[in-house]
Amino acid sequence: GRLKPGGTIIEGTSGNTGMGLALAAIMKGYKLICVLADKQSKEKMDILRAVGAEVYVCPTNVEPDDPRSYYSTSKRLSEEIPNSWYVNQYDNPSNAQAHYESTGPEIWKQTDGKITHFVVGVGTGGTISGVGKYLKEQNPNIKIHGIDTYGSVFKKYHETGIF
C-alpha cells in the first residue's frame, strides 16, 4: 500500500534486481528509477534503459554513507519523489527470506540433497544468507562460499572488521 498506481519504484542495484523490478513496473504501470555504481557494465545500464528504467550512475569509490553513493542517492530520491517506494534490498529482510523459502529448497531438491558446496556472489547478502541458512539446516556440513567484487563494502569488512 505504500506505492500508489502510477508511482515510482526506486532501487540501488547492480542490475539483476533492477531487471526484475523493471518487468514488474511494466506489468503494473509503475515508473522505475535504478541507481547503479559506475562499475556496472554499460550493457546492463542500456538494457535497463531499454525496458523503461531511468538510470542514475554513481561513483563506486565512495563510502556507502557518502551522499554520492548509490545507497544514499537511492534513499534521497525516494524522499524527494512523491508516490515513490524505495525497495532497499540491502536492508529489506524479505530479500534473504525469499531465498530461504524458494531458492534454497530449489537447490536442495535439484541436487537431491547431495550438494556439498554453495558458491555465490555476495551482492546484497540476500542470496547467500537465505540459501545458506536453508542448506545448513538440511546439512550442517555444507560449505558456503561468498565471492565478492572489487569496491564491495564486504571486502573492507573482511579485511579490517570495519563495516
Side-chain angles (χ1 to χ4, degrees):
R2 289 183 266 174
L3 184 62
K4 306 296 181 231
T8 304
I9 300 168
I10 300 172
E11 183 59 341
T13 179
S14 59
N16 297 333
T17 297
M19 187 55 65
L21 290 171
L23 298 174
I26 290 167
M27 297 283 297
K28 296 289 190 175
Y30 297 123
K31 297 177 195 101
L32 174 64
I33 295 175
C34 289
V35 184
L36 289 86
D38 59 10
K39 69 181 177 181
Q40 299 307 321
S41 72
K42 178 186 178 309
E43 292 79 10
K44 275 189 182 180
M45 294 178 201
D46 289 346
I47 290 170
L48 287 168
R49 287 182 181 109
V51 294
E54 185 176 343
V55 175
Y56 285 71
V57 181
C58 299
T60 298
N61 205 12
V62 295
E63 295 296 320
D65 58 354
D66 184 296
R68 298 168 296 161
S69 76
Y70 80 110
Y71 307 102
S72 296
T73 300
S74 302
K75 186 174 187 211
R76 177 183 53 79
L77 289 170
S78 72
E79 292 165 353
E80 294 174 356
I81 297 172
N83 188 22
S84 66
W85 176 57
Y86 176 33
V87 177
N88 193 11
Q89 63 182 310
Y90 296 94
D91 296 317
N92 189 334
S94 295
N95 182 357
Q97 190 64 31
H99 290 287
Y100 176 82
E101 293 176 4
S102 63
T103 316
E106 180 180 341
I107 291 168
W108 183 256
K109 182 179 176 185
Q110 289 183 5
T111 62
D112 294 323
K114 295 176 184 168
I115 183 170
T116 59
H117 294 73
F118 179 63
V119 181
V120 64
V122 175
T124 64
T127 304
I128 193 169
S129 299
V131 172
K133 179 180 177 188
Y134 181 86
L135 293 177
K136 285 286 196 178
E137 287 176 358
Q138 308 313 303
N139 177 355
N141 296 319
I142 293 173
K143 303 294 181 200
I144 310 296
H145 297 277
I147 308 300
D148 215 350
T149 60
Y150 177 78
S152 165
V153 296
F154 295 110
K155 179 181 184 296
K156 180 180 177 184
Y157 178 75
H158 176 71
E159 293 173 351
T160 66
I162 300 167
F163 191 71

